[in-house]
Amino acid sequence: MNTTTGQATVADEQTKKYLTLLEMSKAIASHRDLSGLFHDLACRLQGSLSISHLGVMLYDSRRKHHRFHLWKTVRTD
């Protein structure tokens, strides 16, 4: 592998990471309920990663505690 091809591969991987983060941001901004958000995040992440569970920790500043939410995906492969 020459350095140009190697650099292009690294750039492509970085681009994929940033596009995945952008997709996550879009999902977070477009949902107001946790169930819909988790479902959307899990679906979007399955396109980029091999996942079977999605866990999200939310901090409630009013109550001063964390809540953990788990979404289990259904694998079809």
Side-chain angles (χ1 to χ4, degrees), residues 35-70:
S35 179
L37 172 61
F38 292 160
H39 178 73
D40 194 9
L41 288 175
C43 290
R44 290 178 193 239
L45 284 172
Q46 280 185 323
S48 302
L49 305 169
S50 176
I51 64 167
S52 62
H53 295 78
L54 173 68
V56 177
M57 180 81 63
L58 298 175
Y59 180 68
D60 184 339
S61 61
R62 192 175 39 170
R63 295 181 183 171
K64 298 189 188 299
H65 78 283
H66 292 86
R67 293 185 306 156
F68 183 73
H69 300 272
L70 180 66

Side-chain angles (χ1 to χ4, degrees), residues 1-59:
M1 167 173 44
N2 65 36
T3 54
T4 305
T5 304
Q7 290 172 344
T9 302
V10 170
D12 289 344
E13 288 300 315
Q14 289 287 27
T15 300
K16 283 182 188 179
K17 289 178 184 177
Y18 286 120
L19 289 174
T20 300
L21 285 173
L22 180 60
E23 288 298 313
M24 299 302 101
S25 296
K26 287 179 184 179
I28 291 167
S30 66
H31 290 281
R32 295 294 173 242
D33 65 294
L34 291 178
S35 179
L37 172 61
F38 292 160
H39 178 73
D40 194 9
L41 288 175
C43 290
R44 290 178 193 239
L45 284 172
Q46 280 185 323
S48 302
L49 305 169
S50 176
I51 64 167
S52 62
H53 295 78
L54 173 68
V56 177
M57 180 81 63
L58 298 175
Y59 180 68

